[in-house]
């Protein structure tokens, strides 16, 4: 199985949140899951747009492209107000998408969607802390990259989160939720209204998000 380098990508929906809003909130596939080898980690107590991935995606054991950022770690822990979450190695909270599937695992967030919700990519060797290795897998995306799954659900970052530990993506569009270490949705802290996703990065100098065709 290929060796791995990693990191992630970044993240603002202006909606009214309840008192459990994260600190700093400004208020204003079809491929079956592939097992993932787990790097040795200290034992810990467990704390939990659109087009489908192509069936003709490259082989799962192919090395990722050199310019792809990879997620080195999945860390299950508890944070204030939200409770159980999964973060990457830099502390960015990860999400799952209701329009994906877990059985079989498949990602339905591509193109514009994936610019707003960057997938947590892997080469098959993430280090796990507070997340059981039997809950972690991967799914091959249509571009041939492999995305980490937790409890079968593909997991993502949100570019609306501007610093580690924020969860501005919670309940965006009524379809995006913070993921727990067992792959279930974390529903302990929900906004009072349904947030909208931030716009994708502008294409070719255009800032017209309304014509982008992006849907969450």
């Amino acid at each position: 199985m290929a060796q791995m380098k990693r990191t992630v990508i970044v993240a603002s929906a202006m909606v009214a949140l309840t008192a459990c809003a994260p600190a700093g909130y400004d208020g204003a596939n079809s491929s079956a899951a592939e097992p993932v080898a787990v790097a040795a980690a200290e034992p810990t107590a467990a704390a939990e747009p659109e087009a489908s991935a192509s069936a003709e995606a490259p082989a799962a054991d192919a090395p990722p492209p050199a310019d792809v950022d990879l997620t080195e770690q999945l860390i299950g822990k508890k944070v204030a107000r939200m409770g159980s979450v999964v973060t990457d190695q830099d502390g960015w909270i990860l999400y799952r998408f209701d329009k994906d599937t877990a059985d079989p695992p498949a990602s339905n967030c591509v193109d514009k969607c994936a610019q707003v919700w960057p997938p947590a990519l892997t080469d098959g060797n993430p280090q796990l802390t507070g997340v059981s290795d039997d809950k972690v897998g991967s799914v091959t995306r249509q571009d041939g990259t492999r995305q980490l799954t937790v409890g079968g659900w593909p997991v993502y970052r949100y570019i609306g989160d501007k610093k580690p530990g924020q969860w501005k993506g919670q309940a965006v569009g009524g379809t995006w939720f913070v993921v727990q270490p067992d792959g279930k949705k974390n529903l302990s802290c929900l906004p009072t209204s349904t947030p909208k996703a931030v716009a994708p990065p502008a294409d070719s100098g255009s800032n017209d998000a309304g014509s982008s065709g992006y849907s969450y």
Side-chain angles (χ1 to χ4, degrees), residues 1-4 6 36-43 71-74 122-131 133 136 148:
M1 187 172 289
Q3 287 279 83
M4 158 169 184
R6 29 240 146 153
V36 175
V38 179
E42 289 295 320
T71 298
E72 296 179 342
Q73 299 178 46
L74 294 178
T122 184
D123 67 357
N125 191 32
Q127 185 178 74
L128 306 181
T129 301
V131 182
D133 59 359
V136 178
L148 287 166

Side-chain angles (χ1 to χ4, degrees), residues 65-143:
D67 60 347
V68 169
D69 289 326
L70 300 177
T71 298
E72 296 179 342
Q73 299 178 46
L74 294 178
I75 302 167
K77 62 183 182 180
K78 290 189 176 182
V79 298
R81 300 188 298 279
M82 181 57 74
S84 294
V85 304
V86 178
T87 74
D88 67 11
Q89 66 279 359
D90 297 315
W92 296 101
I93 286 178
L94 301 179
Y95 300 84
R96 48 169 278 184
F97 185 33
D98 279 357
K99 294 184 182 180
D100 288 346
T101 60
D103 187 16
S107 171
N108 290 307
C109 178
V110 298
D111 302 326
K112 296 287 187 182
C113 177
Q115 293 177 31
V116 175
W117 302 92
L121 301 178
T122 184
D123 67 357
N125 191 32
Q127 185 178 74
L128 306 181
T129 301
V131 182
S132 176
D133 59 359
D134 63 359
K135 293 294 184 182
V136 178
S138 69
V139 63
T140 302
R141 297 175 58 80
Q142 71 173 28
D143 62 1

